[in-house]
Structures are given as C-alpha cells and as structure tokens.
Amino acid sequence: MGQTDLAGQVVLVTAAAQGIGRATAVAFARAGARVIATDVNEAGLAGLDSCETARLDVLDRKAVEAFCAQVGRVDILFNCAGIVHNGTLLESTEEEFDFACDLNVRAMIRMIRGVLPGMLERGDGCIINMSSLASSLKGVPNRFVYSTTKAAVLGMTKAVAADYVKQGIRCNAICPGTVQTPSLDDRLRATGDYEAAHKEFVARQPMGRIAEPEEIADLAVYLAGARFTSGQAVCIDGGWSI
Ligand code: NAD
C-alpha cells in the first residue's frame, strides 16, 4: 500500500496519542492529508509534528459538537477511540457495559453526527470506524462487553453506509486481530505473566505474530482512497479468521 494520495483532504482522527490512532495520523499525513489528531490525553499528542493536534474527549457530547463546528470541513473521519474490557457476561457489571457502550459506540455516533452534515453538503465523505475481529465476526473468550460493543460498531457502520451511499458517503470498519499497542502491553502485564500472555496472543494468530499499528494505519489510508468500497468490515488479523 502507501500509494494513496490524500493531498487536499482533511482527516480527523480520535485517540491519536498512542497505538493505532497515532500510527494512522502519521500515515494519513504521509499520504498528503491535512490531519487533525485528537485525544483526551493532550500531552500524549506531543511529537505528532506532521499533524495539527487538539484535546478532544469523545465522551463529552458538548465538546464533540463544539469541536466539529469549529473544525469545519472534514473529508475523512477515523473513529479510533475505544476500550478493551476483559471478562465474561457474569463477570461484567452494568456500569462497565454502560461505559464501554459510551466510549466504543456512542462516541463514534457523536463524531459521525458532528461531521456528516458537512460531508453531505459536499456530497463526499469517508468514515472509518474501529471495530475488532472480536465482534459479530468471531466469538473470543473473556471479551463479552468488548465484543458486544464492537459488533454494534459493525451494525452502525453498515447502517450509515446504507443510508448515505447515494449521497457520496462511504463508511467502513476495520477489524484487527491483536495489535502491539501500549494498552495491549498494559493488558498483558495485568495478567501477572507478560511472557505467557504474549505467547498466548501470538498463538491465536496463524501468521505467528502480533500486528504492528502501522499495518492497521496502512489499511485505514487504503480505505480512505477505496472509492468503490462501503459498508465493509475489513479484517486484518494475521489469519485468525481464516
Ligand atoms: P490504546 O488503547 O493503546 O490507546 C487508546 C487511546 O485512546 C489513548 O491514547 C487514550 O488516551 C485514548 N482515549 C481514551 N479515552 C478517550 C476519550 N474519552 N476521548 C478521546 N481519546 C480517548 O490504543 P489501541 O490499542 O491502538 O486501540 C485503538 C482502537 O483499536 C480501540 O478502539 C481498540 O478497541 C481497537 N483495537 C485494538 C486492538 C489491539 O490489539 N490493540 C485490536 C482490535 C481493535
């Protein structure tokens, strides 16, 4: 990949301070786009020199509305913010479920609501939502809350794609397997045996390794330029779904 030319395009990225969001902001900038990289952790945005940066808490509806109004034109929205919750249905609480719904699902809807009217006015827009293979695509143990919310992201993606396909809007979802990011490291450390947990994650993926965030970023840039593609859940999972 790496051939997509996004010169003249404005890209808005959420959760760009680290991991997939950060790698994707860099990749979009390298493809020639003007990138607005946002995160609730403003300090974490330091060093994203090829992007404009701003604090944005996607849980804050009023802040999202104000931010989208102030930013104006957005051609490509990369909805990346999300949280992984570990555990089964019986191990999860209503509060954990509500929080994950808010961050993994409602926040994406908020962001789309903020940029879609402008995209419709211009008759052109691309929305990329971060889902996961752990969703309606694959049952993964101990990911009840996470998989339920990431399945909702796929439903949302298809609904938006269907509603606006004739008005120049494309909406796709990215469904990674395991990706090497700071939050993955936190989760591996939290098991108490980083090496064993890492080995287990690697073993799930037939390609025998965990993805690098830059590989997911390449797919996001590709989807931004894939003008005949909408409503798709694109897996990038080291063969986990084969
Ligand atoms: P990460 O979990 O390491 O970082 C998450 C980022 O989100 C942080 O910079 C954090 O500050 C930001 N954030 C948290 N709450 C926010 C809020 N309210 N508003 C704005 N920003 C907020 O990143 P990651 O592991 O690359 O995950 C990014 C996305 O990719 C998530 O949606 C995740 O579910 C998805 N995903 C990750 C993996 C993986 O293995 N890492 C696999 C599949 C899907």
Side-chain angles (χ1 to χ4, degrees):
M1 288 186 226
Q3 301 300 311
T4 310
D5 181 4
L6 298 177
Q9 303 276 292
V10 182
V11 184
L12 176 54
V13 180
T14 68
Q18 63 183 42
I20 298 166
R22 187 179 186 97
T24 305
V26 169
F28 274 127
R30 199 173 293 135
R34 176 185 156 215
V35 179
I36 304 162
T38 69
D39 199 290
V40 69
N41 172 14
E42 195 170 13
L45 295 166
L48 281 172
D49 298 331
S50 53
C51 308
E52 294 163 36
T53 59
R55 181 181 189 276
L56 180 62
D57 178 355
V58 294
L59 291 173
D60 183 340
R61 183 170 58 84
K62 286 201 160 32
V64 169
E65 284 171 3
F67 189 80
C68 291
Q70 168 228 316
V71 157
R73 176 176 159 179
V74 172
D75 301 292
I76 299 157
L77 168 66
F78 182 43
N79 255 333
C80 186
I83 188 172
V84 179
H85 179 272
N86 291 323
T88 63
L89 182 151
L90 292 179
E91 288 160 354
S92 61
T93 66
E94 289 275 333
E95 290 71 25
E96 287 164 337
F97 188 72
D98 285 346
F99 183 79
C101 284
D102 206 13
L103 184 52
N104 293 2
V105 186
R106 276 195 210 98
M108 290 195 184
I109 298 171
R110 266 177 221 127
M111 292 299 301
I112 295 172
R113 216 187 279 283
V115 300
L116 187 55
M119 290 177 170
L120 288 169
E121 259 172 45
R122 291 185 299 279
D124 188 41
C126 170
I127 297 160
I128 303 168
N129 296 323
M130 180 53 76
S131 181
S132 173
L133 194 67
S135 57
S136 48
L137 299 174
K138 186 171 177 68
V140 175
N142 286 314
R143 293 288 183 281
F144 169 72
V145 167
Y146 184 68
S147 301
T148 304
T149 57
K150 291 298 189 183
V153 171
L154 296 185
M156 176 209 312
T157 299
K158 286 192 179 282
V160 170
D163 281 337
Y164 300 104
V165 65
K166 291 189 190 305
Q167 289 155 275
I169 309 301
R170 291 174 294 121
C171 184
N172 292 292
I174 294 180
C175 305
T178 307
V179 188
Q180 188 59 58
T181 65
S183 71
L184 175 70
D185 273 339
D186 291 344
R187 282 182 281 131
L188 294 176
R189 271 191 293 271
T191 65
D193 187 342
Y194 182 96
E195 290 307 324
H198 188 268
K199 223 170 147 183
E200 200 181 301
F201 273 109
V202 170
R204 292 194 308 201
Q205 311 211 172
M207 288 186 191
R209 66 176 179 85
I210 286 172
E212 293 302 325
E214 289 73 19
E215 294 177 286
I216 315 302
D218 278 350
L219 177 56
V221 172
Y222 165 78
L223 284 173
R227 302 197 64 87
F228 206 50
T229 301
S230 193
Q232 300 306 303
V234 184
C235 297
I236 176 162
D237 61 4
W240 199 8
S241 58
I242 291 172

